[in-house]
Amino acid sequence: MKARAFDYMRPKCVQEALEAFASADGDASYIAGGQSLVPALALRLQAPGLLIDIARLDELRGLSIVDGHLRIGATTRHCEILGSNLVREHAPLLAKAAPFVAHPAIRNKGTFGGSLALADPASEFPAMALALDAIIEIASVEGSRRVGAGDFFIDLYETALQPGEIITAVHVPVATVKTRTAFDELARRRGDYAIVGAGIDAQMQGGFVERMRIAFLSVGPTPVRVSAVEAALTGRQLTPEAIRQAQDVLGTELDPAGDEHTPPKMRRHLARVLLGRLLGRLEANV
Amino acid sequence: MSGKVAISLTVNGETIEALVAPRTTLADFLRQDIQLTGTHTGCEMGVCGACLVLLDDRPVHACLMFAVQADGCAVETIEGLTHRRAIDDLQKVFHERNALQCGFCTPGMLVSAYGILASGGEPDRDGIRDALSGNYCRCTGYEAIVDAIEMTARQRRQHREEEA
Ligand SMILES: Cc1cc2nc3c(=O)[nH]c(=O)nc-3n(C[C@H](O)[C@H](O)[C@H](O)COP(=O)(O)OP(=O)(O)OC[C@H]3O[C@@H](n4cnc5c(N)ncnc54)[C@H](O)[C@@H]3O)c2cc1C
Ligand code: FES
Ligand code: FES
């Protein structure tokens, strides 16, 4: 199938993009990497009259350290996250998740901001933004605002973004000497969306968990933090017993939906297996 | 609404000025407007990898972007890679190793392989399979394709060592 006819513009700055959207009476869409939007247009799931191309805006580019946070410009491509030393050093969890995002050619175009804006519950980066307690910087014609990842993902493909708003950057607190991270997912084929995936960002001191955030993907309409599991592990050492108990807590806390391939019970079981693996890796510090 | 837009890009090193409808994908532009039919289209939704081209020297799906988005960029297709003899060795080993049968997936496979080998490393078989996860082949069963890429990587390393 082919996309319906539309107009196309490439604004020079974010302000111009915002104004173009405002003038379009809601009949417009931003396009960044286009790796999700173009198929949606081809399938006519969406048919906006105007595409506003934000992929080349300088204001949305770049990786830098600002105020103890790694600032990730919204149009930073997945391949740039994967190849960046800055990310490896300051946001190791993102570096670990990046190889699991789609296939190489899609990583060459898809953007970090686009992934968060779309908020596919099976996507890696939205869940990792949650695990990292990232701050999402948003521009609108009224000005700029910041929303914590915990308040950003609202429902299936629904975020705190209002129509016409643009994610300009995402700020991730930088890793410290105490930081330990782990990511993994289970998928039928590498590059496919995961059946279940999870990432952990923890602060550990002398073998004890000082603070832990765990976020799952593909277990519900949004990425999911499992706070009961986090609480159960805080202040403890990651002994085999503590890990087993955490897996039991997860079994009661998580209420995943089923789909035609994966009944809820199987998904919950796989999530427990995954949690055990990840906690084992944190303990071994690998 | 939806008038044509003027774009200027290079395709295989040649500057092209064209008027395109915004909804024309880069794949359709290459195949229909400038008759470069080496870029194939299968699924037209980013799944099969038949449409891979190089955009500023990185593999991307020509079905997942509109030609207007390539304005000002450098596009290289399987024809360009072939003419500038950038993948002679890959093509020869693909042939010898029977890494193609019907050939439908081959342009995309070669563009992916170009991307895999561009870093100059020598990926292992798992790494190669991983990097080919977005390329479907309905004929070969992939084994021969992985063989061919692995062999080319080895040959290139040996070649570099001989030169050094
Ligand atoms: C075959 C295939 C497999 C894939 N597998 C995976 C996978 O395993 N994991 C994964 O995470 N993703 C996967 N993807 C999706 C891919 O990562 C997308 O690139 C990404 O989710 C969206 O980023 P984009 O820049 O391409 O966004 P686009 O497609 O350009 O846009 C997506 C949506 O976000 C909006 N948008 C984009 N940028 C902004 C912004 N800065 N501010 C406000 N709104 C914005 C657009 O208006 C649009 O509604 C896959 C895609 C394909 C085609
Ligand atoms: S035609 Fe582009 S991926 Fe299938
Ligand atoms: S050779 Fe026929 S699809 Fe690959």
Side-chain angles (χ1 to χ4, degrees):
Chain A
M1 286 253 284
K2 309 285 181 195
R4 201 191 71 171
F6 53 80
D7 286 324
Y8 170 86
M9 71 167 296
R10 202 158 56 228
K12 302 254 174 327
C13 60
V14 169
Q15 189 59 30
E16 190 187 344
L18 294 167
E19 285 164 13
F21 194 102
S23 317
D25 265 342
D27 190 23
S29 183
Y30 297 119
I31 182 164
Q35 303 301 284
S36 297
L37 186 63
V38 176
L41 296 176
L43 294 167
R44 307 244 175 151
L45 300 171
Q46 291 175 46
L50 172 67
L51 278 198
I52 304 169
D53 189 347
I54 58 172
R56 297 192 204 176
L57 294 177
D58 283 340
E59 296 153 89
L60 304 184
R61 297 205 49 76
L63 290 156
S64 56
I65 303 293
V66 184
D67 296 335
H69 285 70
L70 174 66
R71 179 190 186 276
I72 304 171
T75 55
T76 303
R77 291 169 295 151
H78 305 333
C79 63
E80 295 173 280
I81 301 272
L82 191 57
S84 158
N85 288 329
L86 215 54
V87 172
R88 211 166 299 132
E89 186 180 343
H90 297 294
L93 183 58
L94 291 180
K96 286 177 188 170
F100 292 89
V101 180
H103 314 285
I106 288 167
R107 293 199 292 264
N108 285 339
K109 284 225 87 205
T111 68
F112 196 77
S115 184
L116 265 56
L118 184 69
D120 187 320
S123 268
E124 289 79 7
F125 289 148
M128 294 314 99
L130 203 54
L132 289 164
D133 210 13
I135 296 161
I136 294 137
E137 182 190 294
I138 298 169
S140 71
V141 275
E142 276 95 53
S144 163
R145 66 190 181 107
R146 287 167 174 243
V147 178
D151 296 318
F152 185 76
F153 302 105
I154 293 174
D155 205 340
L156 187 63
Y157 300 119
E158 191 188 333
T159 68
L161 283 178
Q162 297 298 313
E165 285 190 321
I166 293 178
I167 298 180
T168 44
V170 179
H171 300 259
V172 176
V174 295
T176 69
V177 286
K178 294 183 189 173
T179 300
R180 292 208 197 158
T181 59
F183 178 89
D184 209 345
E185 66 180 40
L186 302 168
R188 289 201 162 72
R189 241 170 34 103
R190 188 64 175 258
D192 281 0
Y193 283 105
I195 304 169
V196 57
I200 306 182
D201 183 77
Q203 297 277 301
M204 308 240 330
Q205 173 84 318
F208 287 86
V209 175
E210 286 188 352
R211 195 252 314 125
M212 185 177 281
R213 284 188 298 257
I214 310 172
F216 276 85
L217 49 117
S218 281
V219 295
T222 64
V224 173
R225 275 273 298 273
V226 285
S227 41
V229 179
E230 295 169 3
L233 288 165
T234 304
R236 299 188 66 180
Q237 287 178 299
L238 296 174
T239 59
E241 195 203 347
I243 294 177
R244 246 189 332 271
Q245 285 170 358
Q247 287 174 302
D248 289 344
V249 175
L250 182 73
T252 53
E253 185 174 19
L254 213 57
D255 185 21
D259 60 40
E260 68 265 46
H261 304 295
T262 320
K265 204 172 150 198
M266 173 176 164
R267 188 165 267 137
R268 195 180 293 122
H269 170 74
L270 292 176
R272 287 179 57 143
V273 171
L274 196 59
L275 178 68
R277 276 187 203 168
L278 293 178
L279 292 173
R281 277 186 219 165
L282 281 194
E283 159 60 19
N285 201 8
V286 287
Chain B
M1 138 169 166
S2 317
K4 291 198 169 182
V5 177
I7 58 169
S8 168
L9 69 165
T10 70
V11 179
N12 300 331
E14 190 186 327
T15 302
I16 304 220
E17 318 264 346
L19 279 176
V20 292
R23 71 167 181 159
T24 305
T25 63
L26 180 62
D28 286 344
F29 173 75
L30 293 170
R31 290 178 54 82
Q32 291 165 17
D33 292 18
I34 58 174
Q35 279 78 50
L36 291 174
T37 53
T39 301
H40 291 169
T41 54
C43 66
E44 298 186 85
M45 49 190 279
V47 176
C48 73
C51 66
L52 290 174
V53 298
L54 297 174
L55 180 75
D56 298 330
D57 213 37
R58 282 177 171 274
V60 301
H61 295 89
C63 74
L64 286 189
M65 64 184 286
F66 299 109
V68 280
Q69 293 172 277
D71 180 35
C73 298
V75 174
E76 191 168 29
T77 67
I78 189 66
E79 289 91 343
L81 280 173
T82 304
H83 289 148
R84 78 172 164 98
R85 315 200 67 154
I87 52 169
D88 271 7
D89 52 351
L90 263 172
Q91 286 165 317
K92 185 159 175 287
V93 178
F94 260 62
H95 178 210
E96 286 168 2
R97 190 60 197 81
N98 283 330
L100 65 156
Q101 289 177 29
C102 77
F104 186 80
C105 69
T106 313
M109 287 291 179
L110 288 169
V111 171
S112 264
Y114 173 90
I116 295 168
L117 298 179
S119 63
E122 207 175 330
D124 61 16
R125 295 182 73 81
D126 275 355
I128 295 169
R129 281 190 173 271
D130 223 42
L132 290 180
S133 64
N135 289 84
Y136 283 11
C137 175
R138 290 297 157 115
C139 303
T140 66
Y142 302 100
E143 204 59 22
I145 295 173
V146 177
D147 288 349
I149 295 172
E150 188 186 32
M151 198 178 291
T152 307
R154 196 179 314 135
Q155 285 174 355
R156 286 190 187 182
R157 176 181 43 82
Q158 284 163 357
H159 198 72
R160 276 195 303 273
E161 283 169 2
E162 279 161 25
E163 302 232 306

